[in-house]
Every structure is written in structure tokens, then in C-alpha cells.
Amino acid sequence: TPSPTAPPIQLFGTGGSGLAAQGTGSTDPNVPPVTTTACQAQHTIQQGETLFRISQQYGVTARAIANRNGITNINVIDMFDVLCIPASQ
């Protein structure tokens, strides 16, 4: 879950949220299920990072990272969340 002292980073647009990035998923029916792909790495989101830039570092798509971590809006991620980076396919 996001740190109470770190506000969400609004990258582009509005709305959405990064969910608990450690695969806990959500009970919200509008949130896609967290996939069970193995993690090749874990990545702690730092200030100024985007999901797209993180995805380039690991050779996977931003959508693959979002799906693995239950993120519904790839333009909004929370600083200090830990992402499971899925293995590239």
C-alpha cells in the first residue's frame, strides 16, 4: 500500500491509482486480476519514474508490469511502491 507520507505521483491525466504492488490484488470488481507470472525482479518506484521508463529498464512492456501488479491506470503510480517485474517473454 502507498506510504501515508508520500502522495501519489500524477504523471499524465487524472484518476486511477497504483494498487498494492506486492500482488495482493483488490476486491474492486473494476480492477483487473493480478496475474501470477513469475517476477524477474522487484523495483521500488522512485520520484520522477514512469511505468514506461521502468519497463524499458527490464525489457518488458508497461502494460505487463501493470497487469502483474493490478495497476489500472499506467499513468499513475505511487512512489515507494514495490513492483513485481514479470519475466520477459
Side-chain angles (χ1 to χ4, degrees):
T1 58
S3 167
T5 58
I9 300 170
Q10 193 77 18
L11 301 173
F12 312 103
T14 59
S17 67
L19 298 177
Q22 298 189 352
T24 58
S26 170
T27 57
D28 183 340
N30 299 316
V31 175
V34 175
T35 62
T36 58
T37 334
C39 300
Q40 69 167 305
Q42 291 187 334
H43 181 92
T44 302
I45 301 168
Q46 301 299 313
Q47 183 174 4
E49 286 188 312
T50 65
L51 209 52
F52 178 73
R53 188 167 70 162
I54 294 167
S55 72
Q56 289 184 315
Q57 291 176 19
Y58 295 97
V60 297
T61 66
R63 178 54 51 205
I65 295 172
N67 289 346
R68 177 60 182 89
N69 292 280
I71 298 171
T72 58
N73 183 341
I74 64 171
N75 297 314
V76 180
I77 55 177
D78 295 317
M79 190 166 50
F80 304 123
D81 271 359
V82 178
L83 298 173
C84 167
I85 308 299
S88 57
Q89 298 178 347

